[in-house]
């Protein structure tokens, strides 16, 4: 491999920060018009797609053409699928309770508070988490046999995660839409399909997607070390931050959920523990 173009990469970092910021500011403006901030969740995947596209454009002449295209496509397919799913899921609904609670305790102007604590924060996270996507596109060619094997491993990890996330989301959507799987209270606990082996197949899928994308930047040890923070931060967000932890706090009081958690792995897919009711619990 030729020398890594750190100067061009540094310039690209600034441009990608601007792209992530632009996506979030446009989303904030739309949210003010619509009167709901839940659309920022749709912008999450769009932000990563925008960063990948900007990196692809700026890395021309620096990075290997095939690797640049691969990384951009993997990021865009994941980001656009996620944004479309969240948009469809939230269609016709009002404000997300998370943002209602946030704005209710806002000091001063709630709009400016939302801008600082939601939109600008998410823009910064998009930029940080996407560091491997940006870095991989500047890696010069030609791609060696060892690098090709690493990229193949990256795609395999990414694809496994993408399937977990996509299939898990589809299974949950069908479950929620099926009246035969609801009791008279209208609430049930999903424990079928992938949800039988992990309580969060979608978050586990995200976890694999971003470790797969990180592998695309690992051909150069210095780049791998510099971007390791990104999948680590995403993993913490999914397991300790706004992902698994927050959702389980919301679900904890539902009847049947304690039994579900007792037999089902919290994150990594594992066979259900023996004992307990293996049916969907009422909630």
């Amino acid at each position: 491999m030729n020398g890594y173009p750190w100067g061009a990469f540094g310039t690209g970092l600034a441009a990608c920060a601007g792209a992530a910021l632009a996506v979030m500011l446009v989303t904030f403006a739309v949210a003010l018009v619509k009167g709901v901030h839940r659309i920022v969740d749709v912008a999450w995947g769009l932000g990563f797609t925008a960063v990948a596209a900007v990196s692809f454009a700026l890395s021309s002449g620096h990075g290997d053409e095939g690797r640049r295209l691969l990384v951009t496509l993997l990021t865009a397919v994941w980001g656009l699928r996620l944004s479309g799913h969240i948009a469809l899921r939230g269609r016709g609904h009002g404000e997300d309770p998370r943002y209602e609670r946030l704005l209710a305790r806002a000091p001063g102007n709630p709009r400016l508070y939302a801008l600082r604590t939601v939109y600008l924060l998410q823009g910064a996270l998009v930029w940080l988490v996407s560091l491997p996507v940006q870095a991989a596109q500047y890696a010069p060619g030609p791609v060696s046999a060892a690098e090709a094997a690493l990229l193949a491993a990256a795609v395999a990890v990414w694809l496994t995660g993408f399937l977990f996330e996509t299939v898990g989301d589809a299974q949950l959507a069908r479950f929620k839409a099926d009246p035969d799987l609801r009791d008279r209270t209208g609430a049930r606990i999903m424990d079928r399909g992938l949800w039988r082996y992990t309580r969060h197949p979608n978050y586990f899928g995200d976890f694999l997607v971003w470790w797969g994308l990180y592998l695309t930047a690992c051909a150069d040890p210095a780049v791998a070390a510099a971007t390791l923070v990104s999948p680590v931060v995403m993993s913490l967000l999914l397991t300790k931050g706004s992902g698994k932890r927050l959702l389980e706090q919301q679900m904890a009081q539902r009847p049947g959920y304690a039994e579900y958690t007792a037999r089902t792995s919290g994150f990594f897919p594992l066979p259900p523990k023996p004992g307990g009711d293996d049916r969907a619990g009422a909630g």
Side-chain angles (χ1 to χ4, degrees):
M1 176 188 291
N2 300 321
Y4 189 85
W6 289 102
F9 173 53
T11 301
L13 287 176
C16 286
L21 177 62
V23 169
M24 291 302 164
L25 289 180
V26 169
T27 304
F28 177 65
V30 174
L32 294 183
V33 172
K34 289 183 170 292
V36 291
H37 292 285
R38 70 181 305 144
I39 64 171
V40 70
D41 297 335
V42 178
W44 179 248
L46 297 178
F48 286 105
T49 302
V51 166
V54 169
S55 292
F56 180 79
L58 294 180
S59 61
S60 178
H62 299 286
D64 177 79
E65 187 75 17
R67 178 162 33 207
R68 291 170 55 237
L69 183 60
L70 173 66
V71 173
T72 302
L73 287 176
L74 292 181
T75 307
V77 167
W78 171 82
L80 295 176
R81 201 280 325 171
L82 180 62
S83 291
H85 169 73
I86 293 175
L88 289 174
R89 186 181 66 187
R91 187 171 55 184
H93 293 277
E95 184 63 280
D96 189 304
R98 293 175 299 160
Y99 299 124
E100 288 182 339
R101 291 191 294 269
L102 178 71
L103 295 177
R105 64 173 185 267
N109 188 314
R111 293 182 173 182
L112 294 179
Y113 184 71
L115 176 63
R116 294 194 308 271
T117 61
V118 177
Y119 295 86
L120 296 183
L121 176 60
Q122 289 207 25
L125 287 172
V126 165
W127 178 84
L128 178 65
V129 172
S130 67
L131 285 179
V133 170
Q134 302 175 55
Q137 302 206 49
Y138 288 88
V143 174
S144 68
E147 291 174 323
L150 183 61
L151 289 175
V155 172
V157 173
W158 179 93
L159 182 59
T160 302
F162 186 74
L163 289 175
F164 258 89
E165 183 175 4
T166 303
V167 172
D169 281 341
Q171 289 175 341
L172 183 59
R174 286 197 301 270
F175 177 83
K176 289 181 175 181
D178 189 344
D180 293 334
L181 294 178
R182 296 177 179 275
D183 62 7
R184 59 186 177 83
T185 67
R188 303 279 287 178
I189 301 299
M190 172 57 165
D191 68 350
R192 312 293 176 89
L194 294 178
W195 300 82
R196 187 170 183 264
Y197 303 98
T198 167
R199 301 198 295 272
H200 304 282
N202 46 359
Y203 293 153
F204 174 70
D206 258 353
F207 168 86
L208 288 184
V209 161
W210 280 97
W211 279 101
L213 287 170
Y214 167 68
L215 289 178
T216 67
C218 287
D220 186 308
V223 176
T227 59
L228 178 60
V229 63
S230 303
V232 171
V233 167
M234 179 60 100
S235 299
L236 291 175
L237 287 174
L238 292 169
T239 57
K240 306 294 185 182
S242 59
K244 174 182 181 293
R245 180 188 62 82
L246 185 59
L247 180 59
E248 294 202 341
Q249 287 178 353
Q250 297 171 352
M251 297 285 291
Q253 302 305 315
R254 290 194 179 187
Y257 194 70
E259 292 79 5
Y260 176 58
T261 60
R263 66 177 180 267
T264 309
S265 172
F267 194 73
F268 294 99
L270 295 170
K273 295 178 182 178
D277 187 358
D278 197 38
R279 300 168 299 165

